Amino acid sequence: MREQILELLPEITKIKEAELQDKVIACWAEAIAFRNWNNQELRSIPFTLLANNIQIHLIEHIRTCCKMAVACDKVLDESYGFRKTPVNRDYLIAGSLLADIGKLLEYDKTKDGKIFKSDYGKHIRHPFSGVGVAFKHGIPSEVMHVIAVHSKEGIEEKRSPEAIIFHHVDFIDFELVK
Ligand SMILES: [Fe+2]
């Protein structure tokens, strides 16, 4: 399972702290097992069900947002150096890779592989289920915060620097394809 997850999301290896890497992998293993998603299904889950004819898949979206988040952080580093608002790069990467993990619980599949929003998902949107999975695996609260506030649920919240970066790159990707 570990190898399968690292192949799916090689960005996990960019997390410097080994323990956090392991926790992120454990979260993915649990979310995959929840509905027994196989590799092919995982790669075919659309990025969102909020728009029609989406050609971009969830795993691609997650990887792209993670890369965009790190790219933003690097530009800010290069531009402002010590004057930059501090960002924890490990938390930013872990948060980016876990923000949508709850979609593996929110969505379900028919026997012929069609993806739909489950009743479970109608009650518990993915930021909530994502935090639930993360909590179980000891993910730091700073990273759970990124998951919790990344979407519309976080509008009224004061987002951390990591959450601000992730929220914006996520919405760049979402608004360009919806
Ligand atoms: Fe999301």
Side-chain angles (χ1 to χ4, degrees):
M1 182 68 105
R2 187 186 172 89
E3 289 314 305
Q4 179 199 349
I5 292 166
L6 284 173
E7 202 182 308
L8 210 59
L9 296 166
E11 289 71 25
I12 291 174
T13 61
K14 303 277 187 239
I15 298 170
K16 287 211 174 88
E17 196 196 313
E19 201 190 334
L20 184 56
Q21 264 194 31
D22 289 345
K23 288 176 179 174
V24 169
I25 291 169
C27 288
W28 269 92
E30 168 137 15
I32 289 170
F34 188 77
R35 295 197 194 281
N36 240 326
W37 297 100
N38 67 34
N39 242 354
Q40 198 196 338
E41 289 165 345
L42 275 174
R43 289 186 190 275
S44 72
I45 298 174
F47 148 29
T48 176
L49 299 179
L50 300 174
N52 293 322
N53 288 326
I54 292 282
Q55 312 234 347
I56 294 168
H57 298 112
L58 178 63
I59 297 296
E60 293 177 299
H61 163 66
I62 292 170
R63 295 190 59 196
T64 301
C65 287
C66 182
K67 288 181 208 163
M68 287 200 289
V70 171
C72 284
D73 191 34
K74 282 184 177 164
V75 170
L76 292 167
D77 270 339
E78 285 161 17
S79 302
Y80 302 141
F82 73 91
R83 294 169 300 154
K84 179 195 162 207
T85 299
V87 169
N88 182 308
R89 181 75 57 84
D90 266 9
Y91 291 166
L92 179 63
I93 297 171
S96 303
L97 296 174
L98 292 175
D100 275 351
I101 199 171
K103 285 190 180 173
L104 300 190
L105 290 72
E106 184 178 321
Y107 298 171
D108 202 350
K109 53 191 171 174
T110 61
K111 277 202 183 85
D112 53 355
K114 221 176 148 306
I115 311 286
F116 64 98
K117 188 160 179 154
S118 64
D119 280 342
Y120 182 101
K122 285 178 195 158
H123 303 146
I124 307 287
R125 244 172 62 81
H126 67 274
F128 301 104
S129 43
V131 168
V133 172
F135 183 85
K136 202 171 157 186
H137 293 283
I139 293 287
S141 57
E142 293 91 336
V143 178
M144 288 199 284
H145 170 80
V146 176
I147 306 170
V149 302
H150 82 273
S151 201
K152 62 182 180 189
E153 288 81 0
I155 287 171
E156 300 272 305
E157 296 296 319
K158 182 169 168 41
R159 291 186 173 108
S160 67
E162 295 81 10
I164 290 170
I165 294 175
F166 180 74
H167 162 72
H168 284 283
V169 298
D170 186 34
F171 274 72
I172 288 173
D173 215 27
F174 177 64
E175 290 185 6
L176 287 176
V177 301
K178 76 173 181 186

